[in-house]
């Protein structure tokens, strides 16, 4: 079976399952430490096990917080995947990235990284498109990339924009397309 990586179709479900497993394992570890207290009569050991259980909560919370932010967003339909896969000749297609900025959670079902810009379909109806584009463009500027990110909330408009693009082989690419896709993957959870 092929390993699912960031930007692949099905990543959100894979991410949630992986995070749930880690959280369950850490929770069992915390419970084992607390139960271990009842098997000893030594006060020092009881105190150490209690402190260990308390200190184990922080890493568990650090693992749980991205999963909670991503919980609401499901993997898009197979029809969406097939429709977006048809544009893979026009640039690098990324699926199911969840990018967080200081102010927003941006669940992108699909992104096309093209030499003419980055076109991202965001499914969060509460997204402030202007703020999202500004934040992402600032991040791209910091990575010395062109500030040309378009966040689109309407699926039909997103696919219409992709239809208007030339295939990547006809456009000039100076390596920024792959670098930009890598930046977006690194930004996502």
């Amino acid at each position: 079976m092929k390993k699912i990586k960031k930007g692949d179709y099905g990543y959100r479900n894979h991410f949630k399952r992986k995070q749930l497993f880690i959280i369950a394992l850490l929770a069992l570890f915390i419970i084992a430490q607390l139960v271990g207290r009842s098997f000893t009569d030594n006060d020092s050991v009881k105190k150490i096990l209690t402190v260990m259980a308390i200190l184990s909560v922080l890493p568990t919370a650090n693992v749980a917080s991205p999963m909670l932010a991503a919980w609401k967003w499901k993997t898009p339909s197979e029809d969406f995947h097939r429709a977006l896969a048809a544009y893979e000749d026009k640039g690098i297609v990324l699926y199911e990235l969840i990018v967080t900025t200081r102010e927003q959670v941006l669940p992108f079902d699909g992104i096309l990284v093209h030499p003419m810009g980055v076109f991202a379909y965001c499914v969060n109806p509460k997204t402030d498109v202007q703020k999202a584009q500004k934040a992402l463009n600032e991040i791209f500027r910091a990575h010395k990339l062109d500030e040309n990110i378009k966040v689109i909330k309407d699926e039909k408009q997103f696919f219409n924009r992709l239809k208007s693009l030339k295939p990547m082989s006809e456009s000039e690419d100076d390596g920024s397309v792959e670098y930009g896709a890598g930046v977006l993957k690194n930004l996502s959870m």
Side-chain angles (χ1 to χ4, degrees), residues 17 79 107 111 130 134 139-140 162:
R17 281 192 300 271
D79 293 336
I111 300 174
Q130 298 302 323
K134 182 180 178 195
I139 292 168
F140 265 49
L162 297 187

Side-chain angles (χ1 to χ4, degrees), residues 172-189:
E172 291 184 19
D173 178 26
D174 56 358
S176 63
V177 171
E178 241 179 80
Y179 183 61
V183 168
L184 286 168
K185 286 181 186 180
N186 288 337
L187 286 174
S188 76
M189 13 177 128

Side-chain angles (χ1 to χ4, degrees), residues 47-58:
K47 288 177 184 176
I48 289 172
L49 286 171
T50 302
V51 170
M52 285 175 57
I54 292 169
L55 293 176
S56 299
V57 170
L58 187 59

